[in-house]
Amino acid sequence: MAQKPSIPKGTRDFNPEQVAKRNYIFNTIRGAFETFGFQPIETPSFENSDTLMGKYGDEGDRLIFKILNSGDYFDKIKNGILSAIRIGEMFYLELSKDEINSIDWLRRESRNQIVQNFLKVSKHGGKNSIKNLPPDDVLDYIISTIHGNYRNLESSPSDDERQKVFADIYANTFLNIKSNSITPSISEKALRYDLTVPFARYVVQHQNEIEFPFKRYQIQPVWRADRPQKGRFREFFQCDADVVGSKSLWQEVEFIQLYDTVFSALKLDGVTIKINNRKILSGIAEVIGASDKLIDFTVALDKLDKIGEEKVKEEMLSKGISEDGISKLQPLFTLSGAFESQIESLKGILSSSQEGLKGIEELSFINNAISALGLSTSTLQLDVTLARGLNYYTGAIFEVSAPETVKMGSIGGGGRYDDLTGIFGMKNVSGVGISFGLDRIYLVLEELGLFPETVTKNVEVLFINFGDNEALFSLKAIKQLRLQGINAELYPDTAKMKKQMNHANKRQIPFVVLVGDQEIESNTYTLKNMISGEQDKVSLETLMSKIKKS
């Protein structure tokens, strides 16, 4: 039985019309990037796992697609599993160290390698690891653990009780294989999660070739093992622009203008560019006594618009933030009004935090500049609950919302990161960047009917194929039409006239050209308008003119 074709959840096929519409968005964004002085780069679809892991927080790390090593990737861990099973069997039998040392397979193999294999796949390879102990100490540690459990029983346990103790230890300790400890052994590469971390790697790797400040843009797909839903996919394109090597706040000002330029060009009026500053969030955490829980605090706060105030408070409590501290946050949940009035309120809340006041100063600078320069169709809005859960933002944070008439998540975002390249050994290189959510922008434009009709421009003229002589004559004309920028093609087969005409109708091709013996003799073409039905015998020049005017 033939296999039913399918694609993975969270991925999509795109038909010609959809590709044309996506290219319209790509080209609009690319044009704005280049107008603002950004240069294109590209990075590989996959990176070394250690390049990506640990850069996005625990939630992000879980969403990274790992790539299995080629070849027999299981070979590196099967010895570890076998060692775990053998060690478990030894202790199940409660053998003494002398008896263990007499076992043939243990004498034959490296004692150190057996223990290391065991630690690779067992829970003992975790944070409270014993993996740095000598092999004999590891074995002693495990033996004492077993004997300790055994001694907890009555002095004369039944065989069933004794068996249960060792069965539990065997199952819960020796065969408790953790996927996180195995993954590095079977997967050394991963699909990129975003474009920012690969960009940081690129900057460090090519620092001697780059002129700083370096303004780059990148339009490529990324992958996340997320739960698919409307506007959220496992494979999607990001359109990023970043500047590294400058701490100037004028870069933030330009990025706000860049957002406004793109959405104005797409005729997407009513977009809101939300802004916050990570220093303000740090200041708030300081004021409520939760500086040591900044990440937990910001991750929870960032979910306010998704799960609501009460759920956010519950999450903060579960992360160890005190009720007294959470009560001090109450003014934030109700903060609203104009940018300037919110800034004044924040000055009162953060009066005791130098870090928070620095964030207010930076936001005020940006707002004053945008007020003086003006925006065409977008609105700049301060949102102090905007956190974005990524660990690397240190200054301004951006998030772009679609017009209120459309129910859609953010369609763009970004922020300032003062030392992202530091994770690759290049310290004190400040950067700031933004991203456009191509797929969500597409859905918004589609819902609002904002794609121009010309976006899906198809073949403009189809030449009917009556035979080899007629086809060759037609292709000479088609060559000239294409040189003039007119999309033209020849029907490839000498099929019935009706079939060829139906093909033109189904593809919504507006003109059809018929070439027979008479047309070849007179060096003319019969041009038929498929919309009006009008049909004329014309020269090649007239044919070109009529098609161009349509």
Side-chain angles (χ1 to χ4, degrees):
M1 184 175 178
Q3 179 182 344
K4 183 179 180 180
S6 64
I7 59 174
K9 289 182 179 179
T11 64
R12 297 151 295 163
D13 290 321
F14 299 107
N15 63 37
E17 180 182 348
Q18 291 168 327
V19 171
K21 289 179 176 179
R22 286 166 63 84
N23 285 340
Y24 165 69
I25 300 172
F26 283 139
N27 293 336
T28 301
I29 295 173
R30 184 180 290 108
F33 282 164
E34 293 179 354
T35 298
F36 276 68
F38 292 88
Q39 299 175 287
I41 69 164
E42 291 187 356
T43 59
S45 299
F46 55 92
E47 298 272 351
N48 292 325
S49 293
D50 56 7
T51 297
L52 303 178
M53 298 298 291
K55 311 304 189 300
Y56 307 101
D58 290 341
E59 290 187 25
D61 281 355
R62 283 194 293 270
L63 300 181
I64 293 175
F65 275 109
K66 284 78 174 178
I67 301 173
L68 287 175
N69 293 340
S70 57
D72 187 3
Y73 60 84
F74 189 69
D75 187 57
K76 288 188 177 181
I77 63 166
K78 65 185 179 185
N79 288 333
I81 295 173
L82 181 60
S83 295
I85 292 172
R86 283 172 167 174
I87 291 173
E89 288 171 345
M90 288 191 302
F91 300 136
Y92 179 77
L93 296 172
E94 201 182 356
L95 300 177
S96 68
K97 281 186 66 175
D98 289 340
E99 289 172 317
I100 290 171
N101 287 329
S102 69
I103 297 174
D104 287 342
W105 69 266
L106 190 57
R107 287 206 309 268
R108 286 197 308 270
E109 300 181 41
S110 163
R111 190 182 189 85
N112 180 67
Q113 188 60 48
I114 291 167
V115 172
Q116 292 306 313
N117 286 342
F118 166 68
L119 292 175
K120 265 185 184 179
V121 299
S122 77
K123 71 179 183 181
H124 290 296
K127 290 182 179 178
N128 300 320
S129 175
I130 57 171
K131 63 184 177 183
N132 295 322
L133 295 174
D136 283 343
D137 290 349
V138 173
L139 293 177
D140 285 344
Y141 171 85
I142 299 172
I143 289 171
S144 66
T145 301
I146 291 174
H147 286 182
N149 279 284
Y150 182 72
R151 284 194 298 270
N152 287 335
L153 296 173
E154 297 176 7
S155 57
S156 299
S158 67
D159 287 343
D160 287 345
E161 288 173 319
R162 181 178 179 279
Q163 187 173 358
K164 183 177 185 304
V165 170
F166 289 108
D168 287 346
I169 294 171
Y170 183 58
N172 297 326
T173 301
F174 302 114
L175 297 183
N176 184 9
I177 297 170
K178 300 185 70 175
S179 61
N180 286 346
S181 63
I182 293 175
T183 300
S185 298
I186 63 174
S187 173
E188 298 168 356
K189 300 175 182 63
L191 293 177
R192 59 171 174 245
Y193 176 91
D194 72 355
L195 299 178
T196 305
V197 170
F199 171 55
R201 189 267 309 151
Y202 175 94
V203 170
V204 175
Q205 195 168 343
H206 299 275
Q207 57 187 286
N208 294 328
E209 308 158 26
I210 292 173
E211 173 64 26
F212 294 98
F214 179 47
K215 299 176 73 173
R216 88 79 165 88
Y217 77 84
Q218 199 169 346
I219 301 176
Q220 287 187 278
V222 299
W223 294 266
R224 296 182 185 178
D226 215 341
R227 184 172 64 86
Q229 53 186 287
K230 181 180 180 182
R232 188 185 295 275
F233 307 99
R234 288 177 173 170
E235 179 187 55
F236 57 96
F237 268 78
Q238 281 189 339
C239 309
D240 283 14
D242 289 79
V243 182
V244 289
S246 171
K247 294 184 178 180
S248 170
L249 292 176
W250 290 114
Q251 304 294 353
E252 278 85 340
V253 172
E254 281 221 309
F255 276 123
I256 293 169
Q257 290 182 302
L258 177 56
Y259 268 137
D260 183 54
T261 297
V262 169
F263 292 120
S264 296
L266 293 172
K267 304 294 188 282
L268 187 56
D269 299 345
V271 162
T272 301
I273 304 168
K274 297 179 181 179
I275 187 172
N276 196 12
N277 193 295
R278 197 63 178 242
K279 295 183 178 71
I280 288 177
L281 294 170
S282 298
I284 294 169
E286 180 185 341
V287 168
I288 68 172
S291 293
D292 60 333
K293 300 182 185 301
L294 176 61
I295 299 300
D296 291 333
F297 163 70
T298 54
V299 167
L301 190 63
D302 194 40
K303 298 176 182 177
L304 183 64
D305 61 337
K306 302 179 185 72
I307 64 176
E309 179 180 333
E310 292 307 314
K311 292 291 185 183
V312 167
K313 290 179 178 178
E314 287 177 17
E315 183 170 331
M316 288 183 179
L317 279 171
S318 71
K319 297 296 184 180
I321 299 173
S322 68
E323 288 191 17
D324 180 58
I326 293 173
S327 66
K328 292 177 182 178
L329 289 175
Q330 194 57 45
L332 292 181
F333 295 126
T334 57
L335 194 63
S336 61
F339 201 112
E340 293 78 5
S341 65
Q342 290 191 58
I343 287 290
E344 291 304 313
S345 298
L346 283 173
K347 286 180 180 177
I349 297 171
L350 297 171
S351 59
S352 62
S353 170
Q354 289 299 313
E355 180 81 353
L357 291 175
K358 177 63 175 174
I360 290 174
E361 180 185 333
E362 292 180 5
L363 284 181
S364 296
F365 178 92
I366 295 167
N367 182 56
N368 290 339
I370 292 298
S371 296
L373 293 166
L375 296 176
S376 298
T377 60
S378 305
T379 302
L380 181 65
Q381 180 185 97
L382 174 58
D383 182 354
V384 293
T385 66
L386 176 61
R388 297 184 67 84
L390 301 181
N391 290 339
Y392 48 71
Y393 291 132
T394 56
I397 308 166
F398 300 108
E399 190 163 279
V400 182
S401 297
E404 292 181 358
T405 54
V406 182
K407 292 183 179 180
M408 181 63 66
S410 64
I411 57 175
R416 165 74 63 174
Y417 43 90
D418 278 338
D419 195 27
L420 184 63
T421 56
I423 58 180
F424 300 113
M426 187 177 178
K427 298 290 185 181
N428 302 316
V429 179
S430 185
V432 58
I434 63 171
S435 180
F436 290 84
L438 177 279
D439 295 292
R440 290 186 176 184
I441 293 171
Y442 181 104
L443 293 173
V444 171
L445 296 182
E446 187 86 335
E447 185 171 334
L448 297 177
L450 294 177
F451 282 110
E453 291 184 9
T454 54
V455 165
T456 55
K457 183 180 178 183
N458 200 350
V459 169
E460 295 165 271
V461 56
L462 175 73
F463 282 68
I464 301 299
N465 189 339
F466 290 114
D468 289 345
N469 289 337
E470 293 85 350
L472 182 59
F473 184 85
S474 296
L475 282 171
K476 291 177 180 178
I478 288 170
K479 180 180 178 179
Q480 297 303 314
L481 290 171
R482 289 170 177 168
L483 289 173
Q484 296 298 314
I486 296 172
N487 298 341
E489 70 174 66
L490 171 73
Y491 192 87
D493 303 307
T494 54
K496 291 182 179 180
M497 175 87 158
K498 183 179 180 181
K499 181 177 181 179
Q500 297 189 52
M501 289 298 220
N502 284 339
H503 179 75
N505 281 325
K506 287 178 181 178
R507 290 183 57 194
Q508 298 181 330
I509 299 174
F511 291 98
V512 161
V513 172
L514 297 90
V515 173
D517 292 338
Q518 291 183 0
E519 283 80 9
I520 293 175
E521 283 184 23
S522 59
N523 198 26
T524 58
Y525 306 84
T526 298
L527 178 67
K528 180 170 183 174
N529 187 315
M530 298 295 286
I531 299 171
S532 66
E534 179 183 350
Q535 184 169 306
D536 294 305
K537 189 174 285 189
V538 297
S539 65
L540 182 59
E541 290 73 19
T542 304
L543 186 150
M544 289 182 184
S545 176
K546 287 197 171 190
I547 293 174
K548 283 184 176 180
K549 286 180 181 178
S550 64

